[in-house]
Amino acid sequence: GCQQLIKNLNFVDILIYSITSRVREDNDAIYLVTEPVIPLGALLNDLTELDVALGCYIIASSLNFLHKNAQCSHNNIKVASVFVSLTDNLWRLGGLENVCKEGGVDERTVGDIVRCSSPLSPAAPEDTDGTFSSNLIHCRDSWMLGHLIIKLMDRFNGKPDGGLMKFKQTVKKSYCNADPRKRPTIESFLSCQYFTSYPQHALIYSVEFLESITIKTDEEKRSFFRKASTDLIQVSSDLFQKYLMRLMFSDLIFADENAREYLLPRLLSVKTKRESRGFYKAESYAKIMAPLLKDLFKRRAKHTRLVLLRLTRWYVPFLPSHFVKDSILPEILLGLNDTDDAIVMATFNSLAVLTSFLGALLLLGAHCKNHTSTMPSLGEQREKL
């Protein structure tokens, strides 16, 4: 039934239900265990317009998947059905208890939908007047999505308008249309001009591409990573850290040749007045990057370790020496005992960089000086001649 259908939905932005069970056999309640999330309603006061723009696009993408790929309608789109992942901060579409296959919405389902409605999440007119049609799979979801967007975007009235008012007017006119046959599909919503203008586009496009990178062609990945260095300028450092950092530093990205050449050196660099390739300024670099680098060095993927070793000079000078000594150096030294020639060679090169930063005493614990400077004084030699 619905329980099995929910578990079989496999889409990156649909809330993952890992376990379904009953606590007691005499209790009809079914308990669902999900990935770690927090209800969107608990975070409403902290959201920016870009947070909402990205989130609404994600929810619309999930609905488009339900309509086109799963041939299902959601029938329960509201704030209470949206969650925020504690893993990547991206929105997840939940509230799947009313999901129905195409043509499967009956009077009982409509009754449940109407009972769960509210002034802020009103039921579609065709559901309240009894004229609903089970064949229009997208209409009810379009109506509900439209009202969800209006509710969320109304919070930014009176703020600088970057196309928001026009977008809201489009949503009201089209997706909140009382005539279900005049409501556009969710797929057309994804191509709204609001989502293709800056700065929304840079953030949305980057997240969408990175989430689906496993199905991208080599040419698409080459184009993305070559342009990413300039496109990411449109994304603030706060939004980058919140939404893109985890995606950008995945092992999949480290494995891509174009990412290693065009993107990763920039992501691991510091932004200075003389060098603009970095993404974070020196004063905030250590606070942001130290925990990330500590995590990256715990990974055992060869391609990830090689990148970290080869780019040592880009990040080490901007980290506290005690952090490098206690957290980075022990991981790098593991490479000296590796049987892989590439790892060993890259380790020696990385240690050469660390020597100039930590010094031989801290790096290797050297206690004696085995070599002395014996350069002759050329001036004295000339006087003797």
Side-chain angles (χ1 to χ4, degrees):
C2 178
Q3 177 184 345
Q4 190 59 40
L5 178 62
I6 291 172
K7 292 187 68 175
N8 290 337
L9 292 175
N10 184 20
F11 186 69
V12 64
D13 294 318
I14 291 180
L15 185 63
I16 298 174
Y17 292 88
S18 55
I19 302 173
T20 59
S21 64
R22 285 186 172 88
V23 176
R24 299 198 313 265
E25 288 298 326
D26 60 343
N27 190 342
D28 291 335
I30 297 177
Y31 296 86
L32 302 177
V33 179
T34 74
E35 60 182 303
V37 291
I38 187 171
L40 176 64
L43 303 174
L44 289 179
N45 293 332
D46 301 323
L47 298 177
T48 66
E49 182 185 337
L50 282 177
D51 289 322
V52 174
L54 174 62
C56 288
Y57 189 91
I58 287 173
I59 297 305
S61 297
S62 301
L63 290 172
N64 189 50
F65 168 81
L66 285 177
H67 293 176
K68 294 190 65 178
N69 298 78
Q71 296 296 303
C72 294
S73 57
H74 187 279
N75 307 310
N76 191 31
I77 304 160
K78 52 189 176 183
V79 171
S81 298
V82 181
F83 300 84
V84 179
S85 170
L86 295 178
T87 304
D88 56 21
N89 297 307
L90 296 174
W91 291 14
R92 299 286 193 270
L93 179 60
L96 303 173
E97 53 267 27
N98 288 337
V99 169
C100 291
K101 295 293 286 185
E102 184 176 10
V105 177
D106 54 22
E107 292 185 4
R108 179 179 177 181
T109 304
V110 171
D112 291 339
I113 294 171
V114 173
R115 279 191 295 274
C116 293
S117 63
S118 69
L120 293 176
S121 303
E126 62 270 23
D127 290 337
T128 57
D129 63 18
T131 61
F132 77 92
S133 172
S134 60
N135 295 322
L136 298 175
I137 187 172
H138 74 276
C139 296
R140 184 181 295 101
D141 286 348
S142 293
W143 168 273
M144 291 181 167
L145 177 64
H147 282 83
L148 173 65
I149 291 170
I150 298 301
K151 172 181 170 59
L152 294 174
M153 290 299 191
D154 275 347
R155 304 171 58 83
F156 309 112
N157 289 342
K159 296 186 178 181
D161 183 16
L164 178 61
M165 290 303 298
K166 184 178 180 180
F167 174 61
K168 286 172 60 178
Q169 289 170 1
T170 300
V171 171
K172 285 183 179 179
K173 180 180 178 180
S174 302
Y175 293 87
C176 298
N177 196 305
D179 187 346
R181 294 166 297 181
K182 294 183 179 180
R183 295 175 204 150
T185 63
I186 299 296
E187 185 175 19
S188 66
F189 175 85
L190 296 173
S191 59
C192 284
Q193 185 179 358
Y194 177 74
F195 293 123
T196 59
S197 58
Y198 286 103
Q200 295 91 273
H201 174 70
L203 176 62
I204 291 171
Y205 176 68
S206 297
V207 170
E208 183 182 36
F209 189 96
L210 293 169
E211 281 197 311
S212 58
I213 194 170
T214 54
I215 62 173
K216 300 297 183 182
T217 65
D218 290 340
E219 184 56 38
E220 288 173 328
K221 288 187 283 188
R222 186 179 300 111
S223 174
F224 174 81
F225 288 122
R226 285 183 174 179
K227 294 189 300 181
S229 295
T230 54
D231 288 347
L232 288 176
I233 296 175
Q234 304 291 335
V235 181
S236 70
S237 58
D238 289 340
L239 288 174
F240 177 86
Q241 185 181 356
K242 185 175 183 179
Y243 294 117
L244 291 172
M245 180 174 281
R246 179 179 174 275
L247 294 171
M248 288 286 189
F249 286 102
S250 70
D251 285 335
L252 284 173
I253 303 302
F254 277 85
D256 188 275
E257 180 181 356
N258 293 287
R260 294 197 298 268
E261 180 178 357
Y262 297 106
L263 182 64
L264 290 173
R266 181 175 186 268
L267 294 181
L268 290 171
S269 301
V270 170
K271 185 176 183 179
T272 64
K273 292 182 179 179
R274 296 180 58 185
E275 179 58 72
S276 61
R277 67 179 294 160
F279 202 76
Y280 290 106
K281 295 181 180 179
E283 52 267 27
S284 58
Y285 184 86
K287 180 180 179 181
I288 296 169
M289 295 300 293
L292 174 66
L293 286 164
K294 187 173 183 179
D295 173 70
L296 290 174
F297 269 103
K298 294 296 182 182
R299 301 180 189 177
R300 292 296 176 255
K302 175 183 174 181
H303 55 268
T304 299
R305 178 54 60 94
L306 284 174
V307 171
L308 294 173
L309 293 173
R310 290 167 180 168
L311 297 179
T312 302
R313 64 189 179 93
W314 292 111
Y315 57 85
V316 158
F318 303 98
L319 297 170
S321 58
H322 66 85
F323 172 78
V324 175
K325 178 178 179 293
D326 296 338
S327 300
I328 302 298
L329 178 59
E331 290 292 334
I332 291 178
L333 290 174
L334 290 177
L336 297 178
N337 296 321
D338 205 289
T339 58
D340 188 286
D341 291 346
I343 291 289
V344 175
M345 287 189 291
T347 297
F348 276 117
N349 288 330
S350 179
L351 288 173
V353 174
L354 288 181
T355 300
S356 63
F357 180 67
L358 294 177
L361 182 62
L362 279 177
L363 189 66
L364 300 174
H367 296 291
C368 61
K369 195 170 185 178
N370 296 317
H371 301 84
T372 58
S373 176
T374 57
M375 291 292 291
S377 174
L378 296 179
E380 294 179 3
Q381 295 292 330
R382 290 193 187 96
E383 290 178 2
K384 290 181 180 180
L385 290 175

